[in-house]
Amino acid sequence: MKRQDLIAVPHDSSGWVVKDPLTLNYAWLDDAEFAILNLLDGRMTFTETLREIRSYRWPDRQLSIPAT
């Protein structure tokens, strides 16, 4: 679930800059990544969220999960 304390502002050249105020880390997200972040609101399960992304929002976009 997306933390409520994250700070997101639109970037000048496109996309979004998201700041974690606890760690002071920043992430740059493109518009699709930012939309996915906003889907993590706790109303859908992870499986439902993936289905929403793959089937309805971006059916042609290849999704990958980074290795840890």
Side-chain angles (χ1 to χ4, degrees), residues 47-68:
T47 302
E48 291 169 332
T49 302
L50 283 177
R51 187 177 302 120
E52 173 77 15
I53 294 164
R54 289 181 177 155
S55 301
Y56 305 111
R57 301 239 180 168
W58 300 280
D60 298 329
R61 187 168 178 142
Q62 187 68 267
L63 299 176
S64 64
I65 299 173
T68 56

Side-chain angles (χ1 to χ4, degrees), residues 22-52:
L22 297 179
T23 64
L24 301 180
N25 287 324
Y26 293 81
W28 181 86
L29 304 178
D30 65 27
D31 289 331
E33 292 166 331
F34 186 67
I36 292 167
L37 176 65
N38 286 311
L39 286 174
L40 302 175
D41 59 7
R43 290 186 269 170
M44 292 189 282
T45 67
F46 183 70
T47 302
E48 291 169 332
T49 302
L50 283 177
R51 187 177 302 120
E52 173 77 15

